[in-house]
Amino acid sequence: MFIGRERELASLNRLYSSNKFEFAVIYGRRRVGKTALITQFIKDKRAIYFMGVESNAKQNLENFSKNILEFGTGIPVETTFVSFQSALEYVFKLAENERLILVIDEYPYVARSSDSLASTLQLLIDKYKDSSKLMLILCGSSMSYMEDHVLSYKAPLYGRRTAQMKILPFDFADTCRCFKNFSDEDKALIYGIVGGTPQYLLQMDDKLSVEDNIKNTFFNPTSSLFEEPENLLKQEVREPTLYNAIITAIATGASRMAEISTKVGESTSACTAYLKNLIALGLVQKETSYGEKESRKSIYTIDDNMFRFWYRFVPENYSIIGRGAADLAYRRIEPHLSDYMGKVFEEICKQYLWSLLLAGKSPVEFRELGRWWGTNPATRKQTEIDIMGEQDKNTVLFGECKWTNEKVDAGVLETLVRRSQMFRYGTIWLYLFAKNGFTKGCVDAADKMGNVKLVAYRDILHLSQMKQMKPAGLRTV
């Protein structure tokens, strides 16, 4: 089943409709659905699809030749082009008379095996771009390679592309579209556990409970998800052991550079370099208090839900999981799931606010959203605001998110009001988000104030369902 990716498909179809030479670069982390997107796009079009393999140039050229010749004849041909240049030139000439798509998937594997490939592509693009109707797509999972050797201004192909797409995991709304049988609460839990990466979502069975899904995957030594984070690191970085230690340190409470450095036992300069790579991979996020420039107050958090869940709960239960005691492991983590979901719910609420803004329904036209933390001058204590979004120096919104079974009462609203008074804005909107709604006292207080929006989790789901009802575009799993 293919779901979502409407914008990406629309962009690719616009390029295709130009009927002139186009060169699109598609990249993103492994498992995120790049190949599924491309497959959906080319399924009803004239296309040559070639996936590179982690081998030598000879093997890749043989495979590439086979794909090209099978496209032309429809039958396997035991002929190999003498070089990548002759093979590519053949394709460019084919496309002089018809619209044709050439996809080179896992391009980094091919380019690493043939040092001259990028320069050859540069040469042929410059030679044929005005006469060929080829739509060239280069796709890769190695984020660093695609950014440094394809998109960078120092790369031979710089300036030739007509489009690029960084494919990201699904948001919460699209994740919900994958499951028909989970309860509303379970959809949030599943998003918190595996995030929006399509390949991970496929491991979840909505005919089972969340508990059974966790036991069958994260707490099952034979499951692909059990070793997925460590395997992915081995594929992406040279020293997975140290990267593993850094992610573990963040998952277990170290958020500032000094804390991470101490836990890992490495200098801050060394940790800075490794964290930069983890940020580029989309696994770690560097956060600064809203409205402040980068400073020593910056903190690091795990940006991928599956990694965050895995590193928070799996390593500490390795021994009992290895002995097949999945039930015991789950009993150990269950009391901590609600607290774990707090940050996940904050992200879901931010996505809701972005949806409102894009739909023209937000009272504050903010430019970005983030968390604020610092010292409250009135109490001289550290305090935090879950969500802050500024339209200009006069207009702002503040949000508080509560993933608790109890209804949110007026006291929570009063606290948010006091925290908002630390700032000098003429127009302030307050958003309270709650898993299970609000007490009558909170509703009455919000109505009286007039600048408060109370949003229950069911309201967020309703907006997500409205998004799902939009026609076209299915998606990529």
Side-chain angles (χ1 to χ4, degrees):
M1 180 180 66
F2 189 85
I3 306 169
R5 304 299 190 203
E6 288 90 351
R7 286 185 301 171
E8 293 88 344
L9 280 172
S11 296
L12 289 171
N13 279 309
R14 278 195 300 271
L15 293 174
Y16 182 80
S17 298
S18 75
N19 210 36
K20 63 181 181 179
F21 175 77
E22 301 284 3
F23 172 23
V25 177
I26 298 176
Y27 68 112
R29 266 183 33 213
R30 299 177 194 279
R31 326 285 196 256
V32 83
K34 302 179 298 298
T35 299
L37 168 65
I38 292 170
T39 301
Q40 180 73 9
F41 168 62
I42 68 174
K43 71 177 185 178
D44 56 354
K45 301 176 179 69
R46 296 272 288 168
I48 299 171
Y49 176 84
F50 163 59
M51 176 175 282
V53 294
E54 201 167 7
S55 183
N56 58 18
K58 181 177 182 294
Q59 181 67 60
N60 275 303
L61 180 56
E62 287 177 359
N63 293 345
F64 188 31
S65 300
K66 183 178 180 181
N67 292 145
I68 294 171
L69 295 171
E70 284 182 349
F71 171 82
T73 64
I75 59 172
V77 179
E78 299 302 324
T79 304
T80 300
F81 286 93
V82 296
S83 66
F84 277 108
Q85 179 165 340
S86 63
L88 287 163
E89 191 149 20
Y90 178 83
V91 175
F92 270 92
K93 287 181 178 178
L94 272 180
E96 285 184 323
N97 300 315
E98 65 170 320
R99 190 51 159 166
L100 180 61
I101 303 169
L102 171 62
V103 178
I104 303 180
D105 204 347
E106 292 302 351
Y107 170 76
Y109 288 157
V110 192
R112 288 188 183 116
S113 73
S114 175
D115 293 336
S116 62
L117 180 59
S119 297
T120 298
L121 277 169
Q122 174 193 3
L123 172 71
L124 295 174
I125 289 171
D126 291 346
K127 181 179 178 180
Y128 289 101
K129 61 182 171 63
D130 294 327
S131 61
S132 180
K133 297 178 181 179
L134 183 69
M135 181 172 177
L136 172 65
I137 298 175
L138 299 187
C139 180
S141 297
S142 175
M143 305 275 280
S144 59
Y145 190 95
M146 297 298 288
E147 289 173 347
D148 295 342
H149 298 279
V150 179
L151 300 173
S152 167
Y153 73 94
K154 295 180 180 179
L157 292 170
Y158 180 76
R160 273 76 185 174
R161 72 184 184 273
T162 55
Q164 70 280 322
M165 296 181 186
K166 184 176 183 180
I167 307 302
L168 301 173
F170 295 148
D171 62 12
F172 176 63
D174 273 347
T175 297
C176 289
R177 295 167 68 179
C178 298
F179 306 109
K180 296 180 179 179
N181 298 314
F182 280 132
S183 69
D184 291 347
E185 181 176 340
D186 284 352
K187 288 176 182 176
L189 288 168
I190 289 295
Y191 182 68
I193 292 164
V194 292
T197 300
Q199 189 61 40
Y200 304 153
L201 292 169
L202 283 173
Q203 310 304 311
M204 300 292 107
D205 185 346
D206 64 359
K207 294 182 176 61
L208 302 176
S209 66
V210 171
E211 176 181 345
D212 286 338
N213 272 287
I214 292 174
K215 291 177 184 177
N216 291 344
T217 53
F218 292 95
F219 294 168
N220 177 7
T222 66
S223 162
S224 62
L225 280 183
F226 181 72
E227 294 183 344
E228 172 66 8
E230 293 179 330
N231 287 338
L232 192 144
L233 285 177
K234 289 174 184 176
Q235 293 174 328
E236 295 289 350
V237 300
R238 292 179 181 176
E239 299 177 68
T241 302
L242 188 50
Y243 283 98
N244 190 61
I246 290 172
I247 299 175
T248 301
I250 297 172
T252 53
S255 60
R256 301 187 185 276
M257 178 61 75
E259 298 169 341
I260 296 169
S261 174
T262 300
K263 268 199 171 186
V264 173
E266 294 284 342
S267 66
T268 55
S269 59
C271 288
T272 298
Y274 287 105
L275 281 164
K276 184 179 178 181
N277 290 335
L278 288 170
I279 291 170
L281 287 171
L283 300 180
V284 168
Q285 179 183 29
K286 185 177 183 179
E287 286 188 81
T288 302
S289 181
Y290 188 94
E292 293 191 14
K293 294 182 179 179
E294 196 168 313
S295 68
R296 291 182 179 180
K297 292 173 65 176
S298 296
I299 63 173
Y300 295 87
T301 58
I302 298 179
D303 199 31
D304 180 274
N305 284 349
M306 192 278 288
F307 270 71
R308 184 166 167 260
F309 182 87
W310 193 95
Y311 279 94
R312 172 65 181 84
F313 295 118
V314 174
E316 68 181 26
N317 289 294
Y318 258 145
S319 297
I320 59 174
I321 293 170
R323 287 171 171 76
D327 290 342
L328 175 57
Y330 185 81
R331 286 201 300 274
R332 286 184 175 182
I333 75 161
E334 187 177 21
H336 306 286
L337 285 178
S338 181
D339 180 64
Y340 169 85
M341 283 296 296
K343 188 177 187 313
V344 177
F345 189 49
E346 285 180 25
E347 177 57 31
I348 291 173
C349 295
K350 287 179 186 176
Q351 292 178 19
Y352 170 84
L353 289 171
W354 278 110
S355 294
L356 285 185
L357 178 70
L358 297 176
K361 297 180 179 179
S362 174
V364 178
E365 294 185 354
F366 53 85
R367 293 163 292 177
E368 60 179 344
L369 294 174
R371 282 194 296 158
W372 182 91
W373 63 88
T375 302
N376 185 330
T379 62
R380 295 183 180 180
K381 294 181 180 180
Q382 284 292 306
T383 190
E384 181 178 316
I385 297 174
D386 292 339
I387 300 175
M388 180 175 177
E390 186 183 70
Q391 177 174 312
D392 49 43
K393 295 302 179 184
N394 185 64
T395 307
V396 71
L397 70 79
F398 296 105
E400 182 74 14
C401 311
K402 294 295 183 184
W403 186 261
T404 60
N405 290 329
E406 298 78 25
K407 291 186 175 183
V408 170
D409 61 25
V412 176
L413 176 56
E414 291 166 5
T415 299
L416 183 58
V417 170
R418 286 196 299 271
R419 291 175 180 173
S420 72
Q421 291 169 348
M422 294 187 293
F423 303 86
R424 297 177 180 236
Y425 290 96
T427 302
I428 295 176
W429 283 90
L430 304 178
Y431 274 80
L432 277 189
F433 297 92
K435 173 185 175 184
N436 283 320
F438 308 88
T439 64
K440 184 177 184 303
C442 186
V443 173
D444 291 343
D447 288 343
K448 186 175 181 180
M449 291 177 63
N451 67 329
V452 180
K453 300 284 188 179
L454 301 182
V455 184
Y457 173 57
R458 64 176 178 271
D459 300 322
I460 297 176
L461 279 172
H462 177 70
L463 188 65
S464 298
Q465 289 162 0
M466 293 297 291
K467 177 181 175 181
Q468 292 175 34
M469 291 171 65
K470 289 183 178 180
L474 305 179
R475 183 212 13 213
T476 145
V477 177

